[in-house]
Amino acid sequence: QKVFEWAAAPATERPDVVAEVSERALEVYEQLSPSQRALLPHLDKPISEQAQVLGVGCSQAYAGSGKLKAMLTELVPDDELRADITLELLRLCVVNP
């Protein structure tokens, strides 16, 4: 019975999955530059806001944003944990920019 409950639990409630998500998010976080960490929480905002966050012009912000998105695509595989890893990575960037 307990094994079934554990296996059927949402991934976010399973300690092994939580540990894997945290570990994988930290690995990605450690590969980001300080400016990329600052930019990540603002990736969905207009380039003008991203430029303000970075303290650069719009063209530099656009290039930086594109590079960061490409890195994330490469570093965070498209699997069932991608959304959880991305959220944890976001949390890390907000807590420790």
Side-chain angles (χ1 to χ4, degrees), residues 72-83:
L72 292 174
T73 300
E74 186 180 313
L75 295 173
V76 184
D78 189 8
D79 61 22
E80 70 277 359
L81 296 179
R82 181 178 225 173

Side-chain angles (χ1 to χ4, degrees), residues 6-67:
W6 182 77
T12 54
E13 293 176 16
R14 289 181 40 196
D16 61 322
V17 173
V18 171
E20 183 180 351
V21 165
S22 296
E23 188 177 301
R24 288 173 59 185
L26 188 58
E27 287 172 7
V28 174
Y29 174 82
E30 289 173 346
Q31 294 183 57
L32 300 179
S33 70
S35 62
Q36 289 171 324
R37 292 174 188 167
L39 179 59
L40 184 68
H42 305 278
L43 269 184
D44 60 342
K45 296 183 178 159
I47 288 294
S48 58
E49 287 184 43
Q50 293 178 22
Q52 284 183 320
V53 167
L54 295 174
V56 297
C58 286
S59 58
Q60 280 185 291
Y62 185 79
S65 177
K67 182 178 178 185

